[in-house]
Amino acid sequence: MSIHEVFMPALSSTMTEGKIVSWVKSPGDKVEKGETVVVVESDKADMDVETFYEGFLAHIIVEAGETAPVGSAIAFIAETEAEIEQAKSLANSSGVAATPTSSPEPIAATTSVATPALASQNGSNHKEGRLVVSPRARKLAKELKVDLTTLQGSGPHGRIVAEDVEALSNKGKQPATAPVAPPAPVPTSTPVTPPAPRTPAPAPVVAAVPGQIVPLTTFQNAVVRNMVATISVPVFRVGYTITTDGLDKLYKQIKSKGVTMTALLAKAVAVTLQKHPLLNASYSDQGIVYHSDINISVAVAMDDGGLITPVLQNADAVDIYSLSRTWKSLVERARAKQLQPQEYNSGTFTLSNLGMFGVDKFDAILPPGQGSILAIGASRPQVVATPDGLFGVRQQMQVNITSDHRIIYGAHAAAFLQDLAKLIETNPQSLTM
């Protein structure tokens, strides 16, 4: 008997449990080598989980919408159709802790925004006639009552993406022959099991009944774990006031070219970190880890109340226009929960900007695995004394750095802030070179 367990994968270093968004295959369906079988919500993104075995999805242990710890069994795959009933009996007799009769089922994961690379390499995922649909497109199609079989996908290998669904819905071309109820399973069709709702939208949270307990989302639970992990780190904070007249003028000049203020600030910080590698370092039990790249994480609030930090990699070396385009793409995919792990867990220094909310000053919590985070407040007109003894009005913002005191000391942080202010105040044009 060749029956394999499918286990909940660890899709990130901080993931302890995952939520089943939807099963792409239904019990009894044929499973091709390298084919997506389930979509799992990790603590940061929705991921397509693929199999390396051919066979049949015999039994689902964890249904859509349910969660399971990393490493626990979520389904059984039988190599032959005749073994499907045996797999069901095995699941019923021994529960989720059933011991597989052969090696555990290997799996691979890719974010839903990308074409599954492994599946393409194995040459089995993009069979002629098979409908390839992103999880977001499936969810949107269900909400808008769009028949996916009528669509021609614009993504890689004909993959149907959310934009395809929206385009058809907006044009009002939904065919009259679209089925009212889901048809019987077809081997080359989209999954029969409807996608489970993803994390709650803001509206239900706002409309919650007083006294009601609303469970934390996967994102929020991840934030809780990370914040608790920082309690043991001894930190200190240093504040600084930076005049932004020159930066604001530059921003107005190049804003029409797609440049964002976030990208400008990230670039300024990254360039300054070149002179202060200790601020870009992190602590380990073996000593100080000096990172070879300067990757700037920027905190982004999610619609469901979670928090994610997309990473602008090599921000010191990338030109400001490319950096801005990258940032726009990262934010869009972060809010659609389609980032790949390296796009949110490779940061070496973090920015947290609440200036757009009118916040003057705040303290940011140091993320695990980094040495510093910079909190940025709003830029406001302030009356200041000029060098010639007069008064003038200048645009100024307050920044506040939080650093790991095990490796970074007050003088190090102060010197970094001093050089950052000098760059922004006297030579902001250099950020475009």
Side-chain angles (χ1 to χ4, degrees):
M1 184 171 65
S2 301
I3 299 173
H4 311 279
E5 281 182 313
V6 179
F7 294 101
M8 176 65 73
L11 303 176
S12 73
S13 59
T14 59
M15 178 175 168
T16 59
E17 65 177 21
K19 179 180 178 181
I20 304 297
V21 175
S22 63
W23 282 96
V24 178
K25 291 290 185 178
S26 299
D29 285 356
K30 185 76 169 68
V31 176
E32 298 288 345
K33 188 176 183 180
E35 190 171 18
T36 297
V37 294
V38 63
V39 180
V40 173
E41 179 187 73
S42 72
D43 53 0
K44 299 295 183 182
D46 289 352
M47 313 287 280
D48 290 352
V49 177
E50 305 165 352
T51 174
F52 291 159
Y53 282 129
E54 289 186 11
F56 297 85
L57 183 60
H59 181 73
I60 292 175
I61 299 171
V62 183
E63 297 290 346
E66 297 178 355
T67 60
V70 168
S72 63
I74 58 175
F76 282 107
I77 287 182
E79 288 191 3
T80 65
E81 200 166 5
E83 292 171 329
I84 291 179
E85 291 303 320
Q86 291 174 301
K88 291 180 180 178
S89 299
L90 179 63
N92 293 333
S93 62
S94 54
V96 296
T99 303
T101 56
S102 62
S103 58
E105 159 73 348
I107 51 179
T110 59
T111 50
S112 58
V113 70
T115 303
L118 288 173
S120 177
Q121 293 163 4
N122 291 333
S124 58
N125 198 28
H126 302 293
K127 292 172 60 181
E128 185 66 30
R130 181 180 183 270
L131 211 58
V132 185
V133 188
S134 75
R136 185 175 170 221
R138 286 193 209 101
K139 180 175 182 290
L140 196 59
K142 182 184 177 185
E143 294 173 350
L144 300 177
K145 294 180 171 54
V146 170
D147 183 5
L148 290 170
T149 61
T150 66
L151 289 178
Q152 181 67 39
S154 62
H157 302 283
R159 183 184 181 93
I160 296 174
V161 295
E163 288 75 10
D164 300 325
V165 179
E166 291 170 345
L168 181 60
S169 177
N170 292 337
K171 291 178 182 178
K173 293 183 179 180
Q174 174 65 12
T177 57
V180 176
V186 180
T188 58
S189 144
T190 50
V192 174
T193 304
R198 296 188 185 177
T199 48
V205 177
V206 175
V209 177
Q212 178 184 4
I213 297 177
V214 180
L216 294 176
T217 66
T218 308
F219 267 31
Q220 290 168 328
N221 275 315
V223 172
V224 170
R225 290 193 299 271
N226 285 340
M227 295 305 98
V228 171
T230 65
I231 294 176
S232 62
V233 178
V235 299
F236 71 97
R237 299 172 179 86
V238 178
Y240 209 97
T241 300
I242 300 177
T243 300
T244 63
D245 291 281
L247 186 67
D248 294 337
K249 181 180 179 181
L250 173 64
Y251 175 59
K252 290 178 181 178
Q253 292 173 347
I254 59 179
K255 180 181 179 180
S256 61
K257 299 179 181 179
V259 175
T260 67
M261 180 57 77
T262 296
L264 280 171
L265 292 170
K267 178 77 171 180
V269 168
V271 170
T272 307
L273 285 173
Q274 291 176 334
K275 301 178 182 179
H276 301 271
L278 183 60
L279 273 293
N280 192 54
S282 59
Y283 170 85
S284 76
D285 292 338
Q286 291 72 41
I288 301 175
V289 180
Y290 286 94
H291 302 289
S292 56
D293 298 325
I294 298 176
N295 298 335
I296 306 299
S297 303
V298 184
V300 172
M302 303 293 286
D303 292 336
D304 60 12
L307 182 71
I308 193 168
T309 52
V311 179
L312 289 167
Q313 298 182 2
N314 300 300
D316 59 319
V318 178
D319 69 88
I320 191 62
Y321 304 102
S322 298
L323 204 65
S324 295
R325 289 192 296 270
T326 298
W327 177 243
K328 181 180 178 181
S329 172
L330 285 170
V331 171
E332 289 175 351
R333 289 185 289 116
R335 289 180 171 153
K337 298 170 66 179
Q338 295 175 335
L339 291 180
Q340 298 197 35
Q342 69 270 20
E343 293 179 311
Y344 59 76
N345 64 13
S346 59
T348 58
F349 187 104
T350 296
L351 296 185
S352 183
N353 184 3
L354 292 180
M356 70 284 291
F357 297 106
V359 174
D360 293 316
K361 181 181 179 182
F362 68 101
D363 292 334
I365 299 176
L366 182 67
Q370 294 187 16
S372 295
I373 179 172
L374 185 67
I376 301 175
S379 178
R380 298 184 182 280
Q382 304 287 346
V383 177
V384 299
T386 61
D388 54 7
L390 302 176
F391 289 101
V393 177
R394 301 286 186 269
Q395 288 288 133
Q396 292 187 329
M397 69 178 182
Q398 296 186 56
V399 298
N400 200 23
I401 192 169
T402 301
S403 297
D404 187 339
H405 212 334
R406 293 173 296 183
I407 60 172
I408 300 169
Y409 306 144
H412 301 136
F416 165 79
L417 293 176
Q418 189 176 48
D419 283 344
L420 177 64
K422 182 178 179 181
L423 171 62
I424 291 175
E425 292 175 353
T426 66
N427 193 23
Q429 290 290 340
S430 64
L431 300 176
T432 64
M433 299 176 183

